[in-house]
Amino acid sequence: VHFEIANPDAAGTLEALSSLGYSVESAVADLVDNSIDAGAGWVDVRFRWDGGDSSVAVLDDGQGMDPATLLTAMTPGARRRGPHELGRFGMGLKTASFSQCRQLVVAGRPPNGDWHIRTWDLDVVTRTGQWRLLEGCPDDAEPELTELIAGRPQGAVVLWHRLQRLVHPGTAPDDEAQQQQFYGEICRVESHLGMTFQRFLEGTGARLDLRVNGNPVHPWDPFLRNHRLTQQLPEEDPATADGLSVHVRPFVLPHRRYLDDTAFNKAAGPRGWLDQQGYYVYRNRRLILAGEWLDPRLRRDDKHILARISVDVPATLDTEWSIDVKKSSAAPPPALRASLYRIARSTRNVAANVLAHRGRVTRATNSSGLVLAWSAERRRNRLALKINRDHPLVRDALTLPPEDRQRVKNLLRLLEETVPVAALRQMYDVETAADPEPFSGTSDSELVELARHMFAALVRQGLGPAEAQRRLRSLEPISDYPSVVDELGDFAT
Ligand SMILES: Nc1ncnc2c1ncn2[C@@H]1O[C@H](COP(=O)(O)OP(=O)(O)OP(=O)(O)O)[C@@H](O)[C@H]1O
Ligand SMILES: [Mg+2]
């Protein structure tokens, strides 16, 4: 076979690689990925304002780089990847950096080694038409780099010198408008990192110490899992034909009336309530995509802001999910689209109902301590609705003498086995104003009476009056009518 070698044109390729459309925050996140892959426990993103000479640096205490690794690291497309790493293409360091600066300086120091420094200078490559990786760093970056690496036994420093997007070259250091904008970007980067790396920032075990200009980045949980009124709907593991599954956990956030202003604004997220609804796709615990419905039939709208769904995608499905170089977009494989659409629909329906103060649907689990009358359980891929045997009223009825107890059991069994699924599906698939809300239309005195019964049941089950009264607030249906508990006041004490 005859062939010609058509090497990519250096200047043109570079131009293209710098234009992938990174935002500042996604470019920084790409560098943080690398630090995590390098085993860093500490990462600090430093923004330094100096007008047109401003810079951004990412420092970490990972395994650093020897000269050979450093050369690979700087080479576009060179890679050695495992399935658990955040990197994939061998491009991120270069594409993210070239999108932001004209000089990329990378320094690495392996344990017990020395610092090694290399620089990509876009102007040199463009001028010479050659991929000339420079040793050391540009003279005018030297003082800053020296300061950044001083006293650090191992790790890496990635320095963006001669920024070209974040500030305009030639901006005066005392240009206050530009400076404000620069600081604004820092905040955006911070909240983006808190969202993207949430799972690395919280939880037990080894946590990542991620900082921006020395300040710890706070993790942001899109699903408000710590709020007692967040509903988690049944989890599912839809699979593609070759058996590779993703893990889906749908959440419906609490209605605004249960959040104070601070909590409400925080829950809105970096892009705001409207844009943060929908699927959150995680790849190896790292957030790729935040708030998209992944189906052209579903749009973001005001009615469904409370619906947020987490999807965990293993890195083995990268190709199927079309994970892009920027790690900021993904598209589900056709085999999963139907399942994702169905889950999105049902979650949206619940969310719309919560927003409209209408009927509450049962929860499969709730971390809140809220005790519901019904629970949805998934067994061998079948969804079953069960009456909660731990609800005090149910438990109370089951303390009857054996003969009567059997009658109660029969009744519970009957109700569970004959749940009118078709009618329910219709009720929740089509939103109607007629959706029932538990005990709505019940008079206050009836509710107080019910609360009294539940209180008595709790006391019979061994709780002290004060504790019983407190518990009442977390029991369905009293949880929806907290004022009723106050009316019990005299009775309870
Ligand atoms: N902070 C760092 N510490 C140690 N090694 C690093 C660091 N940053 C980058 N590297 C090395 O450089 C290589 C290239 O990084 P780059 O981000 O370009 O590609 P990648 O992470 O392999 O894949 P992707 O394109 O998906 O990000 C990495 O595989 C790693 O070996
Ligand atoms: Mg990378």
Side-chain angles (χ1 to χ4, degrees), residues 30 34-35 38 60 64-65 69 73 79 81 86-94 156 327:
D30 231 329
N34 289 341
S35 297
D60 70 52
M65 281 168 273
T69 323
R79 64 198 159 152
R81 297 282 81 174
L86 302 179
R88 163 161 157 74
F89 297 101
M91 291 297 279
L93 173 65
K94 284 72 69 177
K327 311 287 176 348

Side-chain angles (χ1 to χ4, degrees), residues 153-475:
Q154 74 174 73
V157 173
V158 175
L159 174 63
W160 292 344
H161 199 242
R162 302 252 185 104
L163 295 175
Q164 50 181 356
R165 298 270 158 85
L166 210 44
V167 291
H168 285 292
T171 303
D174 60 359
D175 184 330
E176 282 194 17
Q178 288 284 320
Q179 190 175 3
Q180 281 308 321
Q181 206 180 323
F182 189 79
Y183 286 117
E185 289 294 337
I186 300 179
C187 294
R188 287 163 48 115
V189 167
E190 240 179 293
S191 57
H192 183 77
L193 295 178
M195 173 170 84
T196 306
F197 297 103
Q198 177 220 352
R199 299 201 191 165
F200 296 87
L201 296 171
E202 62 184 23
T204 48
R207 275 193 235 165
L208 176 67
D209 180 5
L210 176 58
R211 291 161 183 265
V212 170
N213 283 357
N215 305 313
V217 169
H218 299 293
W220 180 72
D221 175 15
F223 313 110
L224 259 67
R225 270 171 286 208
N226 288 330
H227 196 286
R228 64 185 187 92
L229 290 176
T230 293
Q231 303 186 38
Q232 183 175 346
L233 305 178
E235 307 182 18
E236 291 193 39
D237 296 279
T240 51
D242 36 11
L244 290 166
S245 65
V246 297
H247 188 58
V248 182
R249 281 176 294 171
F251 294 88
V252 175
L253 275 53
H255 189 277
R256 152 141 225 192
R257 69 179 150 161
Y258 299 113
L259 302 170
D260 60 33
D261 284 351
T262 322
F264 180 78
N265 291 332
K266 185 163 182 243
R271 296 205 319 261
W273 277 101
L274 184 65
D275 288 328
Q276 299 270 186
Q277 63 183 281
Y279 280 108
Y280 286 67
V281 178
Y282 294 83
R283 172 183 181 271
N284 289 349
R285 295 162 71 213
R286 187 254 211 237
L287 184 68
I288 300 282
L289 189 140
E292 280 180 33
W293 284 113
L294 303 178
D295 192 295
R297 287 166 288 183
L298 303 172
R299 294 181 195 292
R300 296 193 191 120
D301 59 29
D302 291 334
K303 272 198 308 200
H304 302 112
I305 53 168
L306 299 181
R308 294 179 182 173
I309 308 176
S310 126
V311 188
D312 280 284
V313 177
T316 42
L317 285 182
D318 276 343
T319 319
E320 286 83 345
W321 276 78
S322 325
I323 304 286
D324 73 332
V325 176
K326 289 181 288 174
K327 311 287 176 348
S328 53
S329 82
L336 292 180
R337 280 186 208 148
S339 303
L340 294 175
Y341 177 67
R342 175 180 49 75
I343 297 170
R345 283 281 311 263
S346 61
T347 311
R348 282 162 60 103
N349 284 337
V350 177
N353 284 336
V354 168
L355 195 68
H357 301 283
R358 275 188 265 114
R360 283 230 320 264
V361 186
T362 55
R363 268 145 275 192
T365 56
N366 60 88
S367 50
S368 55
L370 203 66
V371 179
L372 303 169
W374 287 87
S375 67
E377 287 172 16
R378 179 162 288 274
R379 288 218 189 105
R380 276 179 254 103
N381 247 346
R382 272 199 56 201
L383 193 65
L385 292 168
K386 296 281 176 203
I387 292 171
N388 183 2
R389 302 295 190 277
D390 286 331
H391 190 285
L393 276 190
V394 180
R395 207 195 277 181
D396 195 46
L398 291 171
T399 59
L400 290 169
E403 204 183 289
D404 299 327
R405 191 187 316 158
Q406 193 53 49
R407 284 156 61 193
V408 175
K409 282 186 173 171
N410 291 344
L411 178 62
L412 295 181
R413 185 79 203 279
L414 174 74
L415 295 177
E416 290 175 341
E417 293 287 344
T418 60
V419 171
V421 178
L424 286 173
R425 186 171 296 134
Q426 215 181 12
M427 276 164 56
Y428 287 107
D429 248 28
V430 199
E431 287 169 40
T432 79
D435 282 352
E437 189 174 343
F439 290 84
S440 65
T442 309
S443 71
D444 272 10
S445 57
E446 263 180 290
L447 277 169
V448 173
E449 192 54 32
L450 179 68
R452 255 185 240 285
H453 278 293
M454 289 171 60
F455 177 82
L458 287 169
V459 171
R460 270 199 294 280
Q461 285 155 27
L463 260 54
E467 176 62 17
Q469 197 175 1
R470 204 171 321 126
R471 279 291 298 285
L472 270 184
R473 293 180 197 274
S474 62
L475 300 178

